[in-house]
Amino acid sequence: MTVSGVTSAASSFPVLPRSTEAPASPGATAASGGAASDRVALSGLGGALRGDGLAAFGALSDAQRQQLADLVDSGKISGETVNDALTQRLKQARVSAMGATQRMYNNDHAALFLDETTSSDDLRGALSQTLARRSSLMDKLTAAMSEDERASASNDLAARTVNPLLAKDRTGMSRHIMPGFFSIDFSDSRLNSTKKQGDATYSLKALGVDLDAIDQALRKTGEEDAAAILSERAGLPTSRKVAADQDYSSDDALVKPLTVPSGGSSSDALLTYGEKLRSFLQASSAETRKAGTLAGHTVYQIDRPNHLTPPSLPAPSPTSAADAQAQEAHMKYITGLAVRY
């Protein structure tokens, strides 16, 4: 069974560019990654692809599609698991692109954070400039012919260099300038994955699928989706709409959102929130112990700069060696899902 340019009795899905409007139904069209004339002839994988999974599949190369279809046909993995894994990789591509966009925004517009007259319109205008710059760089990356050209565009997109102005002391300023459109929202199903989707990614990795290559194939789609989400948040015009994950369940969320209770300024409300946070962390640790079968999967390394220290998060102190191992496994699990960027 072949995947590209072949018609067969198997289910056949058109691979179309992402529509500028929301599809009539989830998974009705494949988002980006192919010309309108392309057709993907599938068997076991065809009926399982939908939503973000179908969009991600459309962005892959013929060889990558063929590998996934062959794995499903061989019975080594289910079509549902492949769909979940591709969905998770596309979400990670969006998250990574949003993080890089924020770094570039902060570097390019650091002076805005030091000017107390900065308005919301100034912040939105700066975002529009940053998104335009990133779109141009992504076009250069896509069209680059040499390895040096690709590396240069990729490094510019990663925006790892820190503007010294960002370290300037802002003590005494009457306003703290911070754009809200970069805020982390773990309730957004377009960005937060489920545990089921995370497990699927590790299952795909265990079968020898090159996740780095998949991530590279999804980089452009992740950039375009991230730009659309940020534009939506900032109230900027955008022709692209990123639909919610219809299969998402907050009960199975990889990172469960916590909400500060109303009246959070009172000591009683803060105490309640603290108890809720502690219970959440304890429950997360307990859930990690249940997922011990994942320990056998290889966690692939991600490209993180050595000079950046990851933020310290509150976590319950381990009461036993088993608890300590569970916490370490949980951190490796989350880290292993990150994208090289």
Side-chain angles (χ1 to χ4, degrees), residues 102 105-106 113 120 123-124 127 176-183:
Q102 183 175 14
Y105 178 95
N106 291 346
F113 303 119
S120 56
L123 296 175
R124 281 194 293 269
L127 177 63
H176 185 67
I177 311 298
M178 178 179 292
F181 32 78
F182 289 115
S183 301

Side-chain angles (χ1 to χ4, degrees), residues 82-96:
V82 170
N83 181 76
D84 284 340
L86 291 177
T87 296
Q88 197 279 325
R89 297 327 288 162
L90 181 52
K91 290 182 181 184
Q92 284 295 137
R94 293 168 185 159
V95 170
S96 293

Side-chain angles (χ1 to χ4, degrees), residues 201-267:
T201 296
Y202 278 106
S203 295
L204 210 59
K205 175 67 177 179
L207 289 174
V209 175
D210 186 350
L211 294 184
D212 287 348
I214 286 180
D215 292 340
Q216 287 300 316
L218 297 181
R219 188 171 184 179
K220 182 175 176 61
T221 304
E223 278 284 341
E224 293 173 346
D225 285 357
I229 293 172
L230 288 170
S231 296
E232 172 191 304
R233 290 180 175 185
L236 295 174
T238 178
S239 60
R240 190 182 188 91
K241 181 175 178 60
V242 183
D245 180 0
Q246 299 299 315
D247 295 328
Y248 180 82
S249 168
S250 58
D251 292 336
D252 192 39
L254 200 56
V255 181
K256 291 182 170 57
L258 288 174
T259 55
V260 180
S262 58
S265 59
S266 71
S267 59

Side-chain angles (χ1 to χ4, degrees), residues 59-78:
L60 302 181
S61 68
D62 286 350
Q64 288 171 320
R65 298 181 196 182
Q66 185 71 61
Q67 181 189 25
L68 296 177
D70 288 346
L71 286 172
V72 172
D73 288 346
S74 69
K76 293 179 180 178
I77 196 169
S78 69

Side-chain angles (χ1 to χ4, degrees), residues 47 74 80 112 118 122 154 159 164 175 180 191 200 203 216 247 291 299 309 329:
S74 69
E80 179 71 13
L112 290 178
T118 296
D122 293 330
S154 182
R175 294 178 62 211
L191 302 172
S203 295
Q216 287 300 316
D247 295 328
V299 177
T309 303

